Amino acid sequence: MYGYEEVAAGMTGMARARVARRIAAGAAYGGGGIGLAGAAAVGLLLAEAQLARRRVGNGTTPHVPNADGLYGASYTVPGEPALRLTMLGDSTAAGQGVHRAGQTPGALLAAGVAAIAERPVGLSTVALPGARSDDLDRQVSLALADPSRVPDICVIMIGANDVTHRMPPTRSVRHLAAAVRRLRTAGAEVVVGTCPDLGTIEPVQQPLRWLARRASRQLAAAQTIGAVEQGGRTVSLGDLLGPEFAANPRELFGPDSYHPSAEGYATAAMAVLPTVCAALGLWPADEERPDAARREGFLPVARAAAEAASEAGTEVTAAMPTGPRGAWALLKRRRRRRVTESEPEPTTQPSP
């Protein structure tokens, strides 16, 4: 027998799955009228968002270190090319808020992959602070500009600006799905870090905090469906940093109280790195099997997306062809891999 809490949680999960499925379906078939917040709350939402934005100062004078270059050069083997990693998305993907290249998520991921693969990794970044999902088409064109240098792996982190600028979620997911499709068609693996939980941002007050959390999770679940159905993998960023931010906001928030600090980016990179390595085939086959003890398994993609949106660090990837209940996915709760504690720095620019 299930207790009341288990039944309530299951009903909530199914409701979230239905909303995410409707948003993703609207993105795929041209719908656009599905909103993330009630119309009666829009005025209050905008007023509080403007206050929060003034406190945050997001985008006024963004500082983004240039982290592009070759990581793990000591692993170079003559005749064996470096792996290519490209970061796409918004300020979080670019690393806004830290001061050194080695503190950005791209640098941390590149150094981590190089250490695990024992192969150098060339990092390139096309992510843009302030970007919304409708900028992904331009970023993908940059990433694929040289057909002879298609990335081996692309990491996309996007969604926060879509919520704060009230981009219709169907439009947001449509752009993300198109970006994943283009990259996969070109031969790149794709990992999407879904929309973070904006309810954890320190300057955001109630009721905006509750609305921001609801909107963020709905978009994250819909992003998961859109990305997975195009052959990508997703990692829920969700409230990954929420407990740490709440306990120690001065350490894990950057100076603008909005973007992560170096410690915050390292926490996010630890969650994304295992999925990046799995996409590149760097894990043993037995690690790819679902672990029942960790509550991993196969679910309809909408259910997997809803669960992932509620639990940060959860991976969702396509598992089997579409069946009577729609597409299915494998939900995994991978063990986080510690990134290099010493700050990695690019040794050289990627070789042509």
Side-chain angles (χ1 to χ4, degrees):
M1 294 290 292
Y2 288 104
Y4 173 81
E5 291 81 2
E6 288 80 2
V7 173
M11 292 177 65
T12 301
M14 287 188 287
R16 287 176 180 161
R18 285 195 297 268
V19 172
R21 179 77 269 176
R22 287 200 303 270
I23 293 172
Y29 298 109
I34 303 172
L36 289 174
V42 169
L44 179 60
L45 182 65
L46 289 176
E48 291 206 12
Q50 289 171 357
L51 289 173
R53 194 174 293 120
R54 280 199 293 270
R55 286 191 59 191
V56 166
N58 183 27
T60 51
T61 54
H63 171 73
V64 181
N66 180 10
D68 290 1
L70 190 68
Y71 292 77
S74 61
Y75 297 116
T76 299
V77 175
E80 184 176 8
L83 292 169
R84 299 189 182 101
L85 164 65
T86 299
M87 300 293 295
L88 305 91
D90 55 23
S91 55
T92 305
Q96 181 176 345
V98 295
H99 298 288
R100 290 185 288 275
Q103 299 172 326
T104 63
L108 294 166
L109 289 172
V113 171
I116 292 169
E118 296 187 344
R119 230 174 123 182
V121 176
L123 170 67
S124 62
T125 304
V126 297
L128 180 69
R132 288 168 276 181
S133 293
D134 55 5
D135 190 55
L136 287 175
D137 182 61
R138 181 192 65 83
Q139 295 184 26
V140 170
S141 294
L142 291 174
L144 301 179
D146 185 350
S148 67
R149 294 179 55 81
V150 172
D152 295 287
I153 182 80
C154 292
V155 175
I156 304 174
M157 302 168 76
I158 198 82
N161 295 315
D162 296 21
V163 174
T164 59
H165 289 79
R166 296 194 301 143
M167 176 182 285
T170 50
R171 182 181 169 203
S172 176
V173 174
R174 188 179 306 129
H175 285 295
L176 175 62
V180 175
R181 182 168 58 250
R182 285 182 64 192
L183 293 168
R184 294 290 292 129
T185 300
E189 296 292 338
V190 181
V191 174
V192 177
T194 56
C195 182
D197 184 352
L198 298 180
T200 64
I201 303 302
E202 191 180 35
V204 178
Q205 302 299 318
Q206 295 290 14
L208 178 59
R209 183 184 295 273
W210 180 85
L211 290 169
R213 171 164 288 128
R214 178 170 173 261
S216 303
R217 289 187 175 183
Q218 286 181 0
L219 180 57
Q223 286 178 318
T224 294
I225 297 172
V228 168
E229 289 184 345
Q230 298 301 326
R233 300 178 185 232
T234 64
V235 178
S236 171
L237 298 183
D239 61 351
L240 179 68
L241 306 180
E244 291 92 339
F245 280 176
N248 201 354
R250 292 293 173 262
E251 180 178 337
L252 285 172
F253 273 127
D256 62 6
S257 298
Y258 185 86
H259 294 95
S261 66
E263 291 82 0
Y265 279 126
T267 301
M270 281 192 293
V272 175
L273 179 61
T275 300
V276 169
C277 290
L280 291 170
L282 300 177
W283 292 152
D286 58 349
E287 279 207 33
E288 296 307 296
R289 301 190 189 100
D291 184 348
R294 294 173 60 81
R295 296 180 295 114
E296 299 177 345
F298 300 97
L299 293 169
V301 66
R303 283 291 306 278
E307 285 200 23
S310 300
E311 184 177 344
T314 306
E315 174 190 316
V316 180
T317 187
M320 58 187 71
T322 300
R325 298 179 62 186
W328 283 67
L330 173 60
L331 183 145
K332 288 188 69 66
R333 296 172 171 86
R334 294 187 183 274
R335 295 175 177 86
R336 298 180 190 178
R337 303 283 171 157
R338 182 167 296 279
V339 293
T340 309
E341 292 187 4
S342 59
E343 295 175 10
E345 296 290 345
T347 54
T348 63
Q349 293 300 308
S351 57

